[in-house]
Amino acid sequence: MKLKYVIYALIFLGIVYLIYHRISINKKLENSGMGTGAKNAGSSKGGKPQQMTVNGIVVQATSFANKLDITGTIEANESVALQSEVSGLVTGIFFKEGSNVTKGTLLVKINDRDIQAQLQEALTKQNLSSANENRAKQLLQKGAISQEEYDTALADLKSLKAQGQLIRAQLAKTSILAPFSGKIGLRSISTGEYITPTKIIANLLSTNPVKINFSVPEKYMAQIKVNSTITFRTDGSAQIYEGKVFALEPGINAQTRTLQVKALAANTNNELRPGSFAKVSLTLDKVDNAILIPNQAIIPVLRGKTVFISKNGKAKQIEVQSGTRTNENIVINSGLKIGDTVLTTGALSLKDGALVKVSVVK
């Protein structure tokens, strides 16, 4: 056991000796002048600190618009798949595929002969019942019949009138009218075909104006307002279109953490096709006297962000508070003032108080 402790002690003493030996060698090298060369590497022959050449910009107030670029979808202002409410034989098609139709235009007619016959029968019974009710009313006034007998005749008349209204409603369903003005698409039926309510006849779209449907991240929801202006373009055209936000979804989508937004845009020449992708640019906020500096001037530190400015020919590191960042610039909320010269190169090599020669970039 004592031998083991002796070995441990020798190892410890050996480590201490190596450390002492290394320190001694470093001191000798420093005293011999090797350290002096390293010390004066950043100095000129006269012993003066060497000046570092860097680029910089002079801080100016500028107008800044924070824009969000997202993708959306163009939708028709109104869209419907035309279908019949009743089953029957198609007796007439009164629209041309791809044409514009106005609201209330007759598009398709379904065979209604049986319903017309039912209506004539109901009207005949209604006329007879009306005559009976009129005679019963006169007899009641003369006291020839009781009130109960007259009430029965009146109830029969009302029942037949209701039946006639029901048949008229069925008859109206055999005429398919345009619910709104728009452009009708390709039809999928022919005259003489028997159709059911599940059969889609054609699509009717109202495309002026069009809707632009898009989503924005949750963190921007407070900056999205009704009547905000958007710009967008499509893959099929280089033209820039403009629209206005008219509706916001009241809640956030829990799965995507986004807010659904819709805007309206004029489509006078029908250049915008529903279903197309739209590359949307949305202005979130505008600052008239913003301070913008290049992103490369920012130095991340443990407690935030800093930049170097030139003051009296020397670099000075100051802390800044930043805001919105774009691809090239970043907004500075505090820490800089108009007229400061911000250094944009050499940030990682600079030290506080270093001599600098600034080449101002405009």
Side-chain angles (χ1 to χ4, degrees), residues 28-251:
K28 288 179 182 179
L29 290 174
E30 186 176 350
N31 292 333
S32 65
M34 292 181 67
T36 304
K39 202 178 215 179
N40 295 333
S43 302
S44 62
K45 291 181 179 180
K48 294 182 180 180
Q50 197 172 28
Q51 199 175 45
M52 185 174 180
T53 301
V54 294
N55 293 336
I57 62 163
V58 177
V59 174
Q60 297 178 347
T62 184
S63 178
F64 172 74
N66 183 20
K67 291 187 176 181
L68 179 66
D69 294 324
I70 44 184
T71 58
T73 304
I74 296 176
E75 298 178 350
N77 186 38
E78 300 291 348
S79 175
V80 66
L82 296 171
Q83 293 173 274
S84 173
E85 292 187 73
V86 295
S87 298
L89 201 69
V90 176
T91 58
I93 298 175
F94 305 100
F95 68 89
K96 185 178 179 181
E97 295 170 284
S99 64
N100 292 315
V101 297
T102 56
K103 182 178 179 180
T105 301
L106 177 62
L107 303 176
V108 178
K109 183 63 179 175
I110 308 296
N111 182 26
D112 62 357
R113 290 180 182 177
D114 55 341
I115 302 177
Q116 289 282 9
Q118 293 174 23
L119 180 60
Q120 289 301 321
E121 182 184 6
L123 289 176
T124 300
K125 291 180 179 179
Q126 181 180 324
N127 291 335
L128 179 59
S129 179
S130 178
N132 290 335
E133 184 270 340
N134 188 43
R135 284 194 297 269
K137 187 175 183 180
Q138 293 176 3
L139 292 173
L140 177 63
Q141 292 174 350
K142 295 177 180 180
I145 62 171
S146 64
Q147 181 68 43
E148 183 179 356
E149 289 174 309
Y150 171 73
D151 290 342
T152 301
L154 181 60
D156 288 340
L157 176 60
K158 290 182 178 179
S159 176
L160 288 171
K161 284 183 177 180
Q163 186 177 352
Q165 291 175 350
L166 180 61
I167 295 174
R168 285 190 181 92
Q170 289 294 109
L171 185 63
K173 292 179 181 180
T174 62
S175 297
I176 301 172
L177 310 178
F180 52 82
S181 298
K183 178 172 284 189
I184 198 164
L186 307 179
R187 60 182 171 90
S188 59
I189 63 168
S190 299
T191 303
E193 180 179 350
Y194 186 87
I195 63 171
T196 64
T198 59
K199 179 72 173 181
I200 295 178
I201 298 168
N203 292 314
L204 178 63
L205 304 177
S206 174
T207 57
N208 185 29
V210 290
K211 295 175 181 176
I212 299 88
N213 189 358
F214 58 95
S215 300
V216 298
E218 180 181 4
K219 64 180 180 179
Y220 298 118
M221 66 178 184
Q223 301 179 57
I224 307 298
K225 307 292 183 185
V226 173
N227 292 327
S228 297
T229 300
I230 68 165
T231 57
F232 66 96
R233 61 185 182 86
T234 63
D235 289 335
S237 173
Q239 184 176 343
I240 303 298
Y241 301 92
E242 188 175 286
K244 280 196 174 184
V245 174
F246 75 93
L248 308 175
E249 191 70 35

Side-chain angles (χ1 to χ4, degrees), residues 249-271:
E249 191 70 35
I252 298 293
N253 187 307
Q255 280 73 40
T256 61
R257 312 308 307 176
T258 57
L259 176 68
Q260 198 77 14
V261 183
K262 283 192 176 184
L264 277 179
N267 188 28
T268 307
N269 298 323
N270 291 316
E271 297 174 341

